[in-house]
Amino acid sequence: MEKWCIGLMLAVLAGTAQACEKVTIAEMGWSSASVVAHIDQYVLEHGFGCEVELVDGDTLPTAVSMLTQGFPDIAPEYWLGSMKTAINKAVMDQRLRYAGDTLSDGGEEGFWVPAYLVEKHPELATIDGVIKHAKLFRPDEDANPTFHNCPSGWNCQVSGANLFKALQLEQAGFELVEAASGTLLADSISSAYQEQRGWLGVYWAPTAVLGEYPMVKVDFGSGIDEKHFQDCISRSICNEAKPTMYPPTPVLTLTTGSFAEREPAAFTYLEQRSYSNPQMNQLLAWMERNQASSEQASRYFLETNPELWQAWLPAEVADALRASFN
């Protein structure tokens, strides 16, 4: 109750509308979603005077609960690939509402190479350049060039293998190596950076790894064929794989319809706030370097990025938020 009282006093002193009612926010189990949930909690408590409860969440269970029970009020980082049809219908029926794009770039996958290699050889930003300079991707002089794929059983393991085939990387001399775990895949990037050698493989954003180790996404020169990606590249059986860039996955803020009606000012904030993948990568990298909790990372973000979040808020709410740091 203490935080709620402080938020209420700040909201009243700042001249905002009366404090909102209790709000529940799903805190998903991965780092970016957890940090965003804590940022939203702080803003709603200290800027809008809400009483906020974070509840455990995950993509499918949270969506089902919001659809059937109207709980929780907010899923702050929802990857729309799951239950898209059911959620779109609920939005049409106004049982659920889409607020803003949590990640303005969407969830991002691709083949990546280290930025230091592209600085030396700009053509490595393209798949033709990678094939031309395949020898740069040998882990040692006696090895074949290596393509690092996701662990077995992951969705990106399937798409990575199919695109490896579609781009004819085996014919170019590359050997496909599946990481034994996500940790070992990340470690392979770290090791490449430490030794300043070549690395080519599948990775995704936002992640702490891409925040800590600048990487460049390789352009296949194919554009995005979303239908072919869904119908073939993302499937275990894909007999006629063709090159296509990974389509971005929309990553949105999902709320219940009742929350949007009950708390229009808070809903407007959720419509406005958005993070680019580089911004989130950097925040997650700071969090990992400092062994910080999601709550600590949210406070760090708010205190060090006022030029970002003040654009999401009415002036009086931004003033209340700044006052809360003292």
Side-chain angles (χ1 to χ4, degrees), residues 63-310:
V64 170
S65 180
M66 293 175 77
L67 281 166
T68 59
Q69 302 178 43
F71 174 88
D73 295 304
I74 304 168
E77 187 183 305
Y78 191 84
W79 291 61
L80 191 55
S82 301
M83 295 186 63
K84 182 176 180 179
T85 301
I87 290 173
N88 281 339
K89 184 178 185 305
V91 170
M92 290 181 64
D93 296 341
Q94 298 188 336
R95 287 180 291 140
L96 298 180
R97 291 280 299 274
Y98 290 132
D101 293 324
T102 309
L103 300 177
S104 57
D105 303 317
E108 186 177 16
E109 290 183 273
F111 289 9
W112 304 79
V113 297
Y116 54 75
L117 279 187
V118 177
E119 291 176 3
K120 295 179 181 178
H121 306 282
E123 60 268 37
L124 290 178
T126 69
I127 196 65
D128 289 340
V130 167
I131 290 171
K132 178 181 176 181
H133 295 282
K135 290 183 179 180
L136 293 174
F137 299 94
R138 296 185 300 183
D140 57 64
E141 291 185 359
D142 298 325
N144 292 326
T146 297
F147 173 80
H148 298 268
N149 201 15
C150 292
S152 178
W154 290 26
N155 290 338
C156 53
Q157 179 265 335
V158 173
S159 58
N162 285 329
L163 286 171
F164 179 87
K165 178 173 65 175
L167 295 165
Q168 300 184 340
L169 291 179
E170 184 176 5
Q171 291 88 322
F174 281 87
E175 178 182 357
L176 185 150
V177 176
E178 290 182 359
S181 68
T183 298
L184 290 176
L185 182 61
D187 287 347
S188 69
I189 295 177
S190 173
S191 296
Y193 251 81
Q194 291 171 9
E195 300 173 13
Q196 292 288 286
R197 55 177 169 78
W199 190 94
L200 172 70
V202 181
Y203 220 75
W204 57 94
T207 53
V209 169
L210 295 191
E212 188 69 30
Y213 305 107
M215 304 287 282
V216 174
K217 186 163 64 173
V218 177
D219 188 347
F220 301 161
S222 61
I224 298 172
D225 185 340
E226 188 164 357
K227 186 177 188 305
H228 180 67
F229 186 90
Q230 298 298 335
D231 293 347
C232 191
I233 297 298
S234 63
R235 298 181 181 274
S236 57
I237 298 177
C238 179
N239 295 322
E240 298 183 8
K242 298 182 295 184
T244 172
M245 298 294 285
Y246 284 80
T249 301
V251 182
L252 310 167
T253 297
L254 189 66
T255 80
T256 61
S258 60
F259 168 81
E261 292 178 7
R262 188 179 79 240
E263 310 297 348
F267 183 81
T268 298
Y269 152 69
L270 296 174
E271 288 183 304
Q272 296 295 321
R273 69 107 172 84
S274 188
Y275 310 87
S276 69
N277 282 340
Q279 288 167 350
M280 186 56 68
N281 288 339
Q282 291 297 319
L283 180 57
L284 296 178
W286 178 90
M287 183 178 173
E288 187 164 296
R289 283 195 304 271
N290 292 276
Q291 295 296 293
S293 66
S294 296
E295 183 176 6
Q296 291 169 326
S298 68
R299 183 66 180 261
Y300 168 80
F301 171 81
L302 290 167
E303 292 186 351
T304 58
N305 293 277
E307 73 285 353
L308 292 177
W309 55 256
Q310 67 187 8

